[in-house]
Amino acid sequence: RRLVDEAQASSTRTQEVLQEFAAYFTPGVLVAAMLVALVVSLQRALVLLVVACPCALVLAAPVPAVASIGAGARRGILVKAASALEALAQVSIVCADKTGTLTQGRCRVVAAGGPSGKDALRLAASLEAKSTHPLAAAVVNEAVGCVGEDVAGGGSLAEDVRDVNVVAGAGMAGTVEGRAVKVGKAAFCGVTTEDWAPKHPGATLVWVAVDDIPSLCLAIVDPLRAETPRALQTMFGMGLRVAVLTGDTPAAARAALEATKIDTARVDVRASCAPPDKLAYVNACREGGAGVLFVGDGVNDAPALAAASVGVAMGAGGTAMAVDAADVALMTDDVALLPAAIDLGRTCTRLVKQNIGIAVGVKALVVVCALAFDLALWVAVLADLGSLLLVVANGSRPLLDAAPAPPPAETLYQATMSPVVAEAPREPATLYQATQQTPPRAPSPPPGEFVVYYAAWSQPSMLAKAALEAAAAARGGSVRAVDVDDDSDDEAGAHGVAEVPMVARVRGGAVQAKLVGAACSASAIGALVRG
């Protein structure tokens, strides 16, 4: 709510120009009215003074901007500033990240190869547990499984992880149990031959090097979002150019686009892009005079999001850095809202131009009539008030067309049952404790109550919480949030959220507790809640 209020309080460039114009226009009208009173008549001077009141002109831009921001919020499009609406209207090329934007960001390992096997996988997962990237989640899930999912042979991660270094667009490096571990692209891990890499069409290859020796290769796939083909077709129909900028391999990028069943020749695909490459592409397009929209969700996308004419972040699943750098956030991670956001900007700009035409046209007509004829004062008042009402009514039209955003499918938001939550130990010694005594079961929440599990207090978490609260209120329910970090968090208390060290579940008389975060899929969280 705070973000929407701040956006509605901001102004567009057109609004600022109109306000500057009014600052000079009003004194000029006063001088003109005095001259008319002296030369012609006092009656005509009063008519001119009333008609020339710039109320309708000053409100020509703010009303459509406020209405468009409110309409966008109802549909799950959070516009941070009114100026972003003007930028959306001028977009001619859309640049999109692939992983987590066009795809679901729910990666899974489908094949593995290498000489070290499980040992290298465990070390890699221990390092990747420090990352929020979807590919890191896939590595962790492959090694230890996930809360609520029965994974055969699920193990535990190493606790001794030090010197973690994230190299944007390349991978992660660190020391795990005294061994140097690298996880990422082939060049980053020092791979010279890919003969033993698993062969899987369209998969992303993640390499693992232990003590500078390539030891494992994982083939990871990320399913395409169901709404991606429709979103691309809609953007093509709007006359927009589309480019896909991904750090993934060319094969994975092509496979994702082929899954959309659209003409891939219409999409400019740039694979193996590091953050500077994405930034350079955006800057080149802007220097060519194009209005550039960049949409992404990760840390690697933040520079391009900030440099684009308008940056759009996948708010529900994106990183805090991406959301902070963006001008617009899609609160439901529905990429089909992207063309809707562009259309919202175009509608807002069109309404502003219509309002300016209404305000200036009515005023000019009455002023000419006032100078040529002896108009009654009430005619001037009616014209002034009528033009103002027309401007307000016309500018409020986006609110009439705004429909509430549909609840996203297959997400944590669907936890609408009345679960029984098991409390974990108060001060766990480790994030992945596996042998604790069964804790007492907490009482069931009342019917209609949602239970939300949070592992990080980023802006996307707050957006998701706000969306869920709105969904709960619409169904007559309420929200009870539970923090699942393993450390004491003052931020949790500030948001009115109960602090719980971790989420636990019973398996074979023992409790297995794991952090619910990047390493846990929405379906697994739902399974835990139902349990």
Side-chain angles (χ1 to χ4, degrees):
R1 178 63 183 177
R2 177 181 59 82
L3 294 174
V4 175
D5 290 341
E6 290 177 355
Q8 290 178 331
S10 62
S11 60
T12 64
R13 178 56 187 161
T14 303
Q15 180 179 341
E16 293 172 358
V17 170
L18 292 176
Q19 289 173 343
E20 292 174 2
F21 170 76
Y24 294 98
F25 175 76
T26 302
V29 167
L30 290 174
V31 173
M34 292 175 63
L35 293 176
V36 171
L38 294 175
V39 177
V40 185
S41 69
L42 181 61
Q43 172 72 16
R44 293 190 180 185
L46 291 176
V47 170
L48 176 63
L49 195 60
V50 171
V51 171
C53 178
C55 294
L57 189 61
V58 171
L59 291 178
V63 173
V66 171
S68 298
I69 291 171
R74 291 179 61 184
R75 299 176 65 179
I77 304 169
L78 178 60
V79 181
K80 293 186 180 181
S83 57
L85 292 169
E86 284 186 327
L88 284 168
Q90 298 169 1
V91 167
S92 58
I93 178 171
V94 176
C95 303
D97 177 44
K98 182 182 75 71
T99 304
T101 303
L102 301 181
T103 61
Q104 298 177 14
R106 300 179 185 176
C107 303
R108 60 186 180 88
V109 177
V110 294
S116 297
K118 290 186 177 180
D119 182 55
L121 177 60
R122 175 177 171 274
L123 295 175
S126 301
L127 179 62
E128 291 285 73
K130 306 298 182 182
S131 172
T132 59
H133 195 281
L135 292 176
V139 176
V140 174
N141 286 343
E142 179 70 10
V144 300
C146 190
V147 178
E149 294 177 350
D150 291 322
V151 179
S156 60
L157 300 186
E159 300 176 18
D160 183 13
V161 181
R162 304 177 184 177
D163 304 325
V164 177
N165 180 29
V166 178
V167 181
M172 290 183 67
T175 303
V176 182
E177 296 181 339
R179 306 181 70 180
V181 179
K182 290 183 177 180
V183 184
K185 293 184 176 180
F188 179 71
C189 296
V191 176
T192 57
T193 177
E194 301 184 8
D195 293 341
W196 46 272
K199 302 296 187 291
H200 193 283
T204 300
L205 298 181
V206 174
W207 297 83
V208 180
V210 180
D211 294 329
D212 294 327
I213 300 175
S215 306
L216 180 65
C217 182
L218 302 173
I220 300 177
V221 297
D222 186 11
L224 191 73
R225 293 186 186 273
E227 63 272 13
T228 295
R230 177 164 53 93
L232 292 175
Q233 291 287 10
T234 303
M235 287 188 285
F236 289 143
M238 297 170 68
L240 299 169
R241 294 157 51 201
V242 178
V244 175
L245 312 180
T246 176
D248 219 332
T249 62
R254 285 194 301 270
L257 287 176
E258 289 170 358
T260 65
K261 294 181 171 55
I262 64 172
D263 184 6
T264 57
R266 303 177 67 181
V267 182
D268 184 8
V269 180
R270 303 297 176 95
S272 303
C273 287
D277 300 324
K278 297 180 180 181
L279 180 60
Y281 186 92
V282 170
N283 287 334
C285 291
R286 294 201 64 181
E287 290 171 1
V292 182
L293 181 150
F294 187 91
V295 55
D297 70 320
V299 174
N300 295 342
D301 303 322
L305 285 168
S309 306
V310 55
V312 179
M314 307 298 285
T319 63
M321 183 179 294
V323 174
D324 289 341
D327 304 296
V328 179
L330 304 183
M331 297 170 62
T332 61
D333 271 355
D334 183 358
V335 74
L337 292 177
L338 189 57
I342 297 173
D343 184 64
L344 188 66
R346 291 180 176 181
T347 300
C348 178
T349 301
R350 183 172 63 253
L351 292 177
V352 170
K353 293 178 179 178
Q354 291 175 359
N355 281 352
I356 293 175
I358 292 172
V360 174
V362 172
K363 301 280 186 181
L365 178 62
V366 177
V367 167
V368 170
C369 293
L371 295 177
F373 308 102
D374 191 12
L375 291 181
L377 188 59
W378 66 267
V379 175
V381 174
L382 182 62
D384 179 64
L385 182 59
S387 62
L388 177 61
L389 294 177
L390 282 174
V391 163
V392 172
N394 188 56
S396 302
R397 283 163 53 192
L399 293 174
L400 301 178
D401 301 330
E410 297 295 329
T411 68
L412 180 57
Y413 306 151
Q414 291 181 321
T416 56
M417 65 293 294
S418 297
V420 177
V421 182
E423 287 189 358
R426 291 187 178 275
E427 296 183 358
T430 173
L431 216 60
Y432 294 93
Q433 248 172 341
T435 54
Q436 300 290 332
Q437 293 183 351
T438 304
R441 299 181 70 82
S444 300
E449 183 178 57
F450 294 73
V451 178
V452 196
Y453 299 90
Y454 289 100
W457 295 105
S458 61
Q459 191 170 6
S461 295
M462 293 299 97
L463 293 174
K465 184 171 180 289
L468 186 55
E469 286 172 343
R475 295 174 173 82
S478 60
V479 172
R480 177 163 62 88
V482 178
D483 182 30
V484 293
D485 279 321
D486 69 322
D487 56 352
S488 180
D489 194 346
D490 294 336
E491 214 169 347
H495 290 89
V497 177
E499 180 76 20
V500 176
M502 66 178 74
V503 174
R505 69 185 178 92
V506 178
R507 177 193 281 175
V511 171
Q512 288 201 343
K514 298 185 180 75
L515 178 68
V516 177
C520 197
S521 65
S523 60
I525 297 176
L528 173 67
V529 171
R530 288 190 295 273

